[in-house]
Amino acid sequence: MEFLDKLFNKTKTDKVDLKKSPEYNNTVYVNDSFSYFGNGKCIRPLEELDKINIQEADESFKKCKKELLDVFMKNNGFIKHKTNAYMRLNSIGLIEYINLQKEAHGSRTFTLNVCVLPIYVKHEVFTIGFGDRIGILINGEDFWWDYNDLATSEKSFKNIIQALKLFIFPWFEQYNNEDKYQKDLFNNIGIIGNSRIKWITYLYIKNNEIEKANNYLDGYLNSDDFNNELEIHKNRIIELINDLKTILNSSKTGTEILNEAIVYNLNKYKLAKSLIKEYYDSN
């Protein structure tokens, strides 16, 4: 990602070496403007787990998230979603989505998942889109923060806020541009699985290009991408394309198709109505 390379002043192949970091004491040097503070790894060693006061750790996470991250995200226009996620709508109808992921087996570590996804596409799995874990987007290395006590939790959340400012908000901003989004979408950058087919189809619908959408779906079945798929995946793709063509060739207008998808997302994922209102106000 070019903008991150420029920000780092280094090439994509440069990796952070924890053991060679200038400050290898729960910190990891990234560049002159930023160092990680935290555990780094997802799983904490057993000998460290035994020393953690579980109640204190969990209370410190809730306190710092509420007093630091929740406030920061709200001040930057994000709406809280469920317990550990935030959403903001950009100018081209993409949801900027961040959620906190705790390690599942008691290590008292956590990371952030970051992505953008169109609000006007019917999503079967809501978090599949352009994006990755925050560390991968920053420097290609997964990173997990600590919340083993109050002092550590406070440092971790302040460190995350700094990372969001320096790296993730600029990463979001690049997809506030329709040309950039469409270029990456058609070049198969940053999207998982068959969602790309659906996203491209709905983009054509959004642009009132129903004929192009039909031609795209017909052409996909003759593409190298399709021919190189395993048979089990081909069957799923054919089913998806048939469903999409049924939608395209129905009596519904493009606006009605998009509205149906938005209402579906609103109900299934309990999206904030203010997010939906913002979309319609801007379109």
Side-chain angles (χ1 to χ4, degrees):
M1 298 174 183
E2 293 179 2
F3 82 96
L4 286 181
D5 297 334
K6 293 176 182 177
L7 192 58
F8 286 156
N9 253 339
K10 63 180 186 177
T11 65
K12 289 184 179 181
T13 57
D14 291 335
K15 299 292 184 180
V16 172
D17 187 333
L18 276 66
K19 294 183 179 179
K20 294 181 181 178
S21 172
E23 299 174 295
Y24 187 56
N25 180 21
N26 281 343
T27 63
V28 180
Y29 178 83
V30 174
N31 63 20
D32 290 342
S33 300
F34 181 77
S35 292
Y36 285 119
F37 174 89
N39 187 53
K41 297 180 180 179
C42 175
I43 305 296
R44 192 187 302 275
L46 290 176
E47 59 270 21
E48 292 184 21
L49 280 176
D50 293 338
K51 300 175 183 178
I52 294 177
N53 183 315
I54 293 175
Q55 182 177 351
E56 179 187 358
D58 291 347
E59 288 177 355
S60 72
F61 179 91
K62 292 177 183 178
K63 175 180 174 65
C64 292
K65 177 185 172 296
K66 179 180 180 180
E67 296 180 0
L68 296 173
L69 189 58
D70 284 358
V71 172
F72 171 76
M73 298 301 284
K74 182 178 181 180
N75 289 343
N76 282 276
F78 282 83
I79 298 168
K80 192 174 176 183
H81 180 64
K82 297 185 177 179
T83 304
N84 287 328
Y86 309 90
M87 295 180 179
R88 183 175 69 181
L89 193 71
N90 75 8
S91 64
I92 65 169
L94 302 182
I95 296 173
E96 300 172 347
Y97 181 85
I98 297 173
N99 83 303
L100 282 69
Q101 178 185 347
K102 293 181 179 179
E103 191 279 320
H105 303 290
S107 287
R108 268 53 192 183
T109 60
F110 70 105
T111 190
L112 275 68
N113 300 304
V114 179
C115 75
V116 295
L117 65 169
I119 194 172
Y120 53 82
V121 173
K122 186 181 291 187
H123 296 287
E124 301 305 326
V125 180
F126 194 66
T127 56
I128 289 181
F130 290 103
D132 215 313
R133 286 193 178 140
I134 184 171
I136 303 299
L137 295 179
I138 289 175
N139 70 313
E141 300 283 345
D142 198 14
F143 192 88
W144 292 68
W145 282 267
D146 273 337
Y147 63 99
N148 59 355
D149 57 37
L150 182 57
T152 303
S153 293
E154 185 173 344
K155 289 180 181 179
S156 291
F157 276 96
K158 287 181 177 178
N159 191 232
I160 284 170
I161 288 171
Q162 186 184 17
L164 291 172
K165 289 178 182 177
L166 289 175
F167 304 110
I168 302 309
F169 286 1
W171 184 86
F172 278 144
E173 184 58 32
Q174 69 176 332
Y175 289 118
N176 211 10
N177 179 288
E178 191 74 60
D179 290 338
K180 169 64 174 173
Y181 168 63
Q182 292 190 28
K183 178 183 176 182
D184 284 0
L185 182 61
F186 280 96
N187 287 334
N188 203 16
I189 295 175
I191 195 166
I192 300 170
N194 298 336
S195 296
R196 176 173 173 263
I197 300 171
K198 185 186 288 188
W199 287 29
I200 289 175
T201 302
Y202 272 83
L203 179 61
Y204 281 129
I205 295 170
K206 181 173 179 277
N207 293 337
N208 294 314
E209 297 174 324
I210 303 300
E211 184 177 353
K212 281 188 177 182
N214 273 306
N215 291 338
Y216 163 71
L217 294 175
D218 290 337
Y220 192 88
L221 293 174
N222 296 312
S223 68
D224 290 339
D225 286 343
F226 178 76
N227 291 329
N228 292 331
E229 290 281 0
L230 297 174
E231 286 303 318
I232 187 173
H233 293 157
K234 285 183 179 180
N235 292 334
R236 292 171 182 167
I237 292 171
I238 291 171
E239 182 179 351
L240 171 63
I241 286 177
N242 286 338
D243 289 343
L244 290 171
K245 287 184 74 67
T246 298
I247 293 171
L248 290 171
N249 298 319
S250 69
S251 59
K252 297 175 183 177
T253 66
T255 299
E256 288 172 336
I257 293 171
L258 299 183
N259 288 346
E260 187 178 272
I262 291 169
V263 171
Y264 174 89
N265 293 331
L266 171 68
N267 293 330
K268 182 170 183 178
Y269 302 106
K270 311 299 181 187
L271 301 185
K273 291 182 179 179
S274 56
L275 200 72
I276 308 301
K277 182 178 184 299
E278 188 177 347
Y279 173 79
Y280 285 111
D281 287 346
S282 63
N283 287 273

